[in-house]
Amino acid sequence: MFINTEGDRHRISKELANLIDYISTGEVTDDYTRQLDDEVNVLRNDPGMELTYMQTILENREMAYE
């Protein structure tokens, strides 16, 4: 999925604009982005997740070259 965080916002909902702002800046602006931020922080502070993330990236790259 690609998200243009600098695109025209005239035809999107306030909720989607809040999500785009969170992706761009990390700023929490509503309940949804607060929940998302809480989950992001849980994952960032889990030492095992770093290894899992890196293994997933490596596996995906290996599959792309097969």
Side-chain angles (χ1 to χ4, degrees), residues 35 43 57:
Q35 291 173 351
L43 294 174
I57 289 174

Side-chain angles (χ1 to χ4, degrees), residues 19-35:
L19 176 60
I20 290 170
D21 288 341
Y22 178 76
I23 292 168
S24 295
T25 67
E27 181 181 347
V28 172
T29 54
D30 61 10
D31 288 338
Y32 180 73
T33 55
R34 185 175 300 107
Q35 291 173 351

Side-chain angles (χ1 to χ4, degrees), residues 1-65:
M1 176 183 294
F2 295 94
I3 299 173
N4 180 359
T5 60
E6 302 298 322
D8 181 9
R9 295 178 178 221
H10 290 98
R11 294 184 290 173
I12 64 172
S13 68
K14 177 68 174 161
E15 292 82 8
L16 183 54
N18 288 343
L19 176 60
I20 290 170
D21 288 341
Y22 178 76
I23 292 168
S24 295
T25 67
E27 181 181 347
V28 172
T29 54
D30 61 10
D31 288 338
Y32 180 73
T33 55
R34 185 175 300 107
Q35 291 173 351
L36 184 60
D37 190 62
D38 290 345
E39 291 297 320
V40 167
N41 286 320
V42 166
L43 294 174
R44 280 185 180 159
N45 293 318
D46 182 348
M49 281 306 298
E50 182 176 1
L51 178 59
T52 301
Y53 178 74
M54 296 305 288
Q55 287 174 330
T56 302
I57 289 174
L58 180 59
E59 289 169 4
N60 288 339
R61 286 186 180 173
E62 288 174 354
M63 288 183 353
Y65 290 113

